[in-house]
């Protein structure tokens, strides 16, 4: 069937008239034989209360016309609940704040100038265009929201379902939905509160099929939807092609000046070649030098731009990787995780605390959702979100509107609450799309790059000064000889041009353009390799900073442990225990844990320690139901596909409890259990309060508060305890003996490194707004009216999370490297202490402290405790941030791991922030510098190694570069001044080859050295450590002295020393000097692979094929230059003896390097004290100025 013409649809650019109501039925193109549930009329409207879930199977939030001044979810008429809003937010509006103006705003959907194309889409099978969707948030517009028919109009117009989401089978859509038909759907909203509440959960077997209306094309999912609205990809970051990079490389002023000089030389050479008479001893080759210089410039530009091109490609891949993440959506009625790039307009996306919103949309429903939109809108206030249907009713009911905000903005962060939203704009059409497009062009300059640029400027100034002095001397000599010269004017002009060329060549040699290239290559190489080691680098500066980290503050769960939690033990009330004996007894108490008499007398697995199956069999049905509901209802985890398999998605602790409920309590469907419950309030877990809570209305008309969290904290709030789990639910007063016994159970679990989770509850006759406020804003309230007092203790679980393989070795490697590892965890002191002992973090002399006690210390007390503090238990994100700040104030370079939203401040405060790629929230990832893709502490060790490798690579190249720059400039200067022809022993073309060696090839060879295990056998460098250390200066000056001595002796005394008498031998001498000079650089490159005073310069050389290949290329090119370079390189072929001299004298650089390493640094420091005055502390006195913390000193003493 052909598509209807565009004029059949209302003109999207025309102003919306209020009386535009549906006058035509939906035009269907559905072929015969389509199942009934695929008929167009079956498009799911917004119907009953339960049709709008916030989580699969959770209780719905129906429409309620009564708005309270609270900040959470309130129970109102007819046992229904609605999200209330407070007056603490401000909603900017494109129209007037008057409701009448909103309902009749003719400008609501009018295209902005220049965006008309987005409003006219050919063959648009949806009611709306991308342009109309953009009007919702350009800026936030209630007028546009109303004009589009509210949430019901968006649901129909975008051909989706608020309950079931998009259909996973959708491909090519059949039929059309007009703007008028979607707009008319708003009439159905008025029927919402009149629809009876169903008594059973809604079926989901047919989910999504009603809105797809598509023919199956397996290879083209969501074809029409992607064609009209696009997906959530942003255009790829602009990568310059090779020719653009060549042009950018050539913009160097020195290269341009050298090109001009080479062209002048070429012009004069061509004139001499074709305009003068030549003899057999004077062939016409004057043009070759100019061509050779131009060829050398081309080679430098090509090689440099090729390296830049490869680097750009690597960074582009990393950029794409850093922005890829998974989000949770509902499709075909099932929650599933998909890539952020796969989000489409019409998707229903889950929101929960810590998420970074992936696309623009409209809030469907949820609990207490507040967003931080400061990064997008600049508004510092947290924005509370109201369900879309409430906002629509408020517009029609002329309610208070400035505080109503149903708009979800991409890039904003969910600070609190859970819910769902309908996607209305993706990719470049979203609010953040254009911002990200501009950010793609930004590239950070790392601190190391900045320092190197400064150093390069100093070196360049030194070279320019030397070149200027050389030019002045040679020019004076030229003028002095000019009156006595018998050369022709052309020859005199050529001589002057040669002076200019040799001067500019010295500048080229002196300018260390290879320094920025070296650090860029090292960063590009390291970030690529780090990604293979599960470190995704988001900010380049983190690479180099991590190499010098002195302290690491790490989480426990998922970082030191496997984050595969399983319930292995539990206690219900005081008398009933269960245990997975195989799993439990395989966990020995901590190595330093002394068993108490009570633990020895009543071990788990005794009289009451039955197996889990036996334990569940003893429970009465009422207690079993209470047990199940405490786990299932009071949870934000839900069913879905995890790692391609059906399971639970959410916190690992909560998924472990849900798995226990499924395996032992008979929970068939979490969604169904929540759907049958009447949830009144939900307070998500917060690290600062150590618990989460849910309020439900139970069958007897009362309200029950389920609480789950840290048992040692919540136990103090209990006044009653479950009486007998084998009978009906009843409780009794909790005694001091009960509390002591439960403390003993908690301690016993913790001593076996089990995470302890307590379940508690309390019944209320009524649930009021005051109760909500008390929980939300009075966390430390100890008054009797506090809902969290007088709780009934139900159970405590022991959850096992085994240590990761190799974590103890990784911690030991950090300590050997001088990195102080601290555990900062929310677990109780005993559990944290046991885990820290198992990992090797807690050593003799180390201290363990609770976060609340640490927080109460003064700064001076903190500074006194911190050097021995190794475990901070029961800590909040605030405690972590305080610790990081104090460490930085003490001059430490601090790395921190974090996974929660509240960890963002600590991650930002730290020098290097590590977020968790698996368990981390999107806010934590956005705040971090490096993402641990496997949540493994061992990956931090790899980051330290690669960070040190980057710093070492740059220093290796710097040592090589400075050596060759000093030697080349001095040799060129001395030989040119001493020459009667004002010519250097090294010609401009030869110097260009040397420049290619020292800049590009050496950068490739030395910047790609991977780290060796021995790189962790030294201490981190201090913040103020110089780029060129004392040991490096010793090597630079020693090698430069040797190279200058050899080349100058050969140049000035080679004829007499080697007894050269024939003209041929005299002509070979400059080539011998050049050849020897290059071979010294080749062997010195090998020598520079080591920065310390150790002798094994070949360590790890076979792990770097770049180095081997480039060294072979350099050797091969030098041989070719000497044999076939001829006139272009001013080279003469050498005999065997001369080759032997060159290679042996070059190889002696390695022996000279060994001799230099034997010279004590103290002796060198005394001789060159003036040179090093004002530098940062050297390796000699760092041990005294920056001593290791006492625990690390003891570890080293033990190892010694």
């Amino acid at each position: 069937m052909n598509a209807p013409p565009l004029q059949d649809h209302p003109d999207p650019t025309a102003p919306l008239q209020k009386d535009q109501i549906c006058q035509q039925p939906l035009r269907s193109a559905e072929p015969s034989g389509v199942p009934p549930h695929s008929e167009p009329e079956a498009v799911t409207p917004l119907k009953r209360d339960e049709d709008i879930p916030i989580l699969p199977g959770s209780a719905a939030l129906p429409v309620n016309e009564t708005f309270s001044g609270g900040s959470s979810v309130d129970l109102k008429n007819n046992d229904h609940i609605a999200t209330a809003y407070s007056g603490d937010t401000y909603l900017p509006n494109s129209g007037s704040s008057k409701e009448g103006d909103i309902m009749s705003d003719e400008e609501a959907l009018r295209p902005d100038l220049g965006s008309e194309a987005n409003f006219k889409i050919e063959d648009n099978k949806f009611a709306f265009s991308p342009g109309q969707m953009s009007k919702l948030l350009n800026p936030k517009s209630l007028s546009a929201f109303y004009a589009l028919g509210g949430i019901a109009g968006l649901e129909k117009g975008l051909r989706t379902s608020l309950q079931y989401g998009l259909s996973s089978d959708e491909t090519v859509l059949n039929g059309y939905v007009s703007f008028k038909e979607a707009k008319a759907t708003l009439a159905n909203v008025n029927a919402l509160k009149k629809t009876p509440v169903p008594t059973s959960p809604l079926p989901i077997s047919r989910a999504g099929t009603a809105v797809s209306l598509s023919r199956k094309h397996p290879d083209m999912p969501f074809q029409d939807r992607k064609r009209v609205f696009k997906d959530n990809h942003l255009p790829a970051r602009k990568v310059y092609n090779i020719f653009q990079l060549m042009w950018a490389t050539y913009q160097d002023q020195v290269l341009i000046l050298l090109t001009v000089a080479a062209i002048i030389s070429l012009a004069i050479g061509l004139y001499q070649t074709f305009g003068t008479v030549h003899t057999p001893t004077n062939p016409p080759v004057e043009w070759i030098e100019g061509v050779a210089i131009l060829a050398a410039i081309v080679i430098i530009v090509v090689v440099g731009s090729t390296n830049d091109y490869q680097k750009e490609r690597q960074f582009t891949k990393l950029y794409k990787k850093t922005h890829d993440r998974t989000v949770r959506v509902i499709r075909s009625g099932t929650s599933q995780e998909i890539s952020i790039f796969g989000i489409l307009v019409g998707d229903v996306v889950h929101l929960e605390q810590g998420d970074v919103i992936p696309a623009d949309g409209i809030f469907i429903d949820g609990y207490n959702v507040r967003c931080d939109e400061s990064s997008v809108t600049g508004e510092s206030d947290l924005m509370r979100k109201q369900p879309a249907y409430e906002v629509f009713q408020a517009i029609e009911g002329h309610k208070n509107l400035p505080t109503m905000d149903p708009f979800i903005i991409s890039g904003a962060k969910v600070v609190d609450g859970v819910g769902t939203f309908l996607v209305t704009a993706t990719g470049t059409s979203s609010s953040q799309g254009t911002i990200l497009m501009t950010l793609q062009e930004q590239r950070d300059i790392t601190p190391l790059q900045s320092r190197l640029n400064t150093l390069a400027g100093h070196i360049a100034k030194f070279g320019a000064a030397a070149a200027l002095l050389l030019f002045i001397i040679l020019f004076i000599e030229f003028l002095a000889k000019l009156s006595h010269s018998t050369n022709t004017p052309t020859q005199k002009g050529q001589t002057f041009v040669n002076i200019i060329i040799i001067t500019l060549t010295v500048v080229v040699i002196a300018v260390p353009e290879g320094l920025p290239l070296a650090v860029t290559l090292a960063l590009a190489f390291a970030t690529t390799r780090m990604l293979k080691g599960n470190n995704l680098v988001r900010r380049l500066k983190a690479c180099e900073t991590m190499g010098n980290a002195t302290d690491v503050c790490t989480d426990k769960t998922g970082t030191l442990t496997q984050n595969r939690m399983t319930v292995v033990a539990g206690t219900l009330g005081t008398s009933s225990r269960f245990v997975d004996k195989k799993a439990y007894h395989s966990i020995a108490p901590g190595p330093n844990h002394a068993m108490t008499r009570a633990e020895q007398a009543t071990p788990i697995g005794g009289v009451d320690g039955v197996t889990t199956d036996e334990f569940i069999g003893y429970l009465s049905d009422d207690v079993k139901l209470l047990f199940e509901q405490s786990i299932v209802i009071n949870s934000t985890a839900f069913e879905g596909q995890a790692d391609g398999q059906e399971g639970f998605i959410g916190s690992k602790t909560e998924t472990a409890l849900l798995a226990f409920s499924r395996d032992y309590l008979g929970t068939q469907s979490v969604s169904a259990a929540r759907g049958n419950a009447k949830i009144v309030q939900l307070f998500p877990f917060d690290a600062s309060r150590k618990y989460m809570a849910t309020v439900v209305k139970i069958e007897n008309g009362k309200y029950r508060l389920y609480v789950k969290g840290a048992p040692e904290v919540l136990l103090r709030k209990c006044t009653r305890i479950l009486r007998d789990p084998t009978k009906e639910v009843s409780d009794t007063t909790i005694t001091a003996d009960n509390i002591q016994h439960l403390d003993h159970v908690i301690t016993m679990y913790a001593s076996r490194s089990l995470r302890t989770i307590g379940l508690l509850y309390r019944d209320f006759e009524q649930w009021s707004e005051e109760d909500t406020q008390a929980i939300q804003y009075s966390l430390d309230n100890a008054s009797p009216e506090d809902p969290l007092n007088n709780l009934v203790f139900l159970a405590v679980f022991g959850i096992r999370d085994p240590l990761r393989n190799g974590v103890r070795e990784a911690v030991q490697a950090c300590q050997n490297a001088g990195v102080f590892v601290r555990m900062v965890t929310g677990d109780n002191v005993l559990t944290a202490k046991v885990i820290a002992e198992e990992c090797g973090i807690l050593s003799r002399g180390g201290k363990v402290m609770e976060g609340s006690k640490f927080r109460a210390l003064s700064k001076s007390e903190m500074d006194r405790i911190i050097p021995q503090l190794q475990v901070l238990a029961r800590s909040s994100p605030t405690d972590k941030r305080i610790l990081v700040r104090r460490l930085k104030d003490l001059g430490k370079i601090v790395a921190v791991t974090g996974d929660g939203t509240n960890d963002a401040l600590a991650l930002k405060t730290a020098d290097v922030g590590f977020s968790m790629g698996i368990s981390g929230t999107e806010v934590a990832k956005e705040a971090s510098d490096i993402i641990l893709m496997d949540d493994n502490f061992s990956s931090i060790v790899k980051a330290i190694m690669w960070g040190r490798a980057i710093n070492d690579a740059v220093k290796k190249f710097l040592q090589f570069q400075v050596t060759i720059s000093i030697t080349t400039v001095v040799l060129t200067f001395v030989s040119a001044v001493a020459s009667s022809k004002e010519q250097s022993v090294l010609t401009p073309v030869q110097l260009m080859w040397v420049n290619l060696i020292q800049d590009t090839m050496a950068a490739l060879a030395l910047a790609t050295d991977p780290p060796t295990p021995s790189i962790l056998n030294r201490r981190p460098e201090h913040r103020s450590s110089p780029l060129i250390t004392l040991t490096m200066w010793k090597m630079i000056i020693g090698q430069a002295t040797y190279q200058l001595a050899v080349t100058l002796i050969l140049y000035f005394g080679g004829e007499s020393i080697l007894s050269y008498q024939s003209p041929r031998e005299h002509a070979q001498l400059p080539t011998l000097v050049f050849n020897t000079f290059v071979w010294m650089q080749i062997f010195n490159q090998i020598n520079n692979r080591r920065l310390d005073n150790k002798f094994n310069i070949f360590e790890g050389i076979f792990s770097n094929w770049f180095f081997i290949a480039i060294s072979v290329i350099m050797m091969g090119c030098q041989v070719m230059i000497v044999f076939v370079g001829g006139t272009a390189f001013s080279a003469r072929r050498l005999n065997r003896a001369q080759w032997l001299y060159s290679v042996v004298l070059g190889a002696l650089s390695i022996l000279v390097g060994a001799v230099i390493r034997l010279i004590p640094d103290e002796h060198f420091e005394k001789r060159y004290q003036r040179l090093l005055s004002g530098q940062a502390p050297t390796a000699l006195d760092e041990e005294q100025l920056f001593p290791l913390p006492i625990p690390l000193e003891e570890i080293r003493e033990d190892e010694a």
Side-chain angles (χ1 to χ4, degrees), residues 253-270:
Q253 294 180 357
V254 177
L255 285 180
I256 294 174
L257 290 174
L258 195 58
T259 303
V260 173
I263 292 174
I264 296 173
S265 175
L266 177 61
I268 296 174
L270 290 173

Side-chain angles (χ1 to χ4, degrees), residues 578-579 610-619 660 663-664:
F578 68 90
V579 62
V610 297
T611 65
T612 308
D613 288 322
E614 293 174 327
F615 167 78
I616 297 299
Y618 294 151
L619 302 181
F660 174 85
D663 296 340
Y664 296 104

Side-chain angles (χ1 to χ4, degrees), residues 75 79 677-680 695-699 701-704:
L75 182 68
D79 297 341
K678 298 178 181 179
I679 300 177
V680 178
V695 181
V696 298
K697 187 170 185 179
I698 54 180
E699 293 180 355
K702 295 183 179 181
Y703 298 84
R704 177 166 290 167

Side-chain angles (χ1 to χ4, degrees), residues 947-965:
R948 294 189 176 187
I950 290 171
N951 290 317
D952 284 0
V954 173
K955 288 188 174 183
K956 291 173 187 177
F957 176 77
L958 184 60
Q959 181 172 285
F960 178 80
Q961 173 98 359
V962 174
T963 302
I964 198 171
S965 294

Side-chain angles (χ1 to χ4, degrees), residues 66 418 481 543 650 1125:
T66 304
V418 292
K481 296 177 181 178
C543 294

Side-chain angles (χ1 to χ4, degrees), residues 442-462:
Q442 297 179 0
R443 176 63 52 79
D444 291 336
I445 296 179
T446 70
L448 181 58
Q449 286 174 321
S450 178
R451 294 172 69 191
L452 285 175
N453 289 339
T454 302
L455 179 61
H458 294 324
I459 297 175
K461 290 177 182 177
F462 160 74

Side-chain angles (χ1 to χ4, degrees), residues 1000-1009 1085 1104 1106-1107 1110-1111 1114:
T1000 303
M1001 291 190 170
L1004 284 168
L1006 295 172
T1008 53
D1009 257 345
Q1085 180 176 271
N1104 187 1
F1106 274 107
F1107 185 92
I1110 291 169
S1111 298
M1114 291 167 60

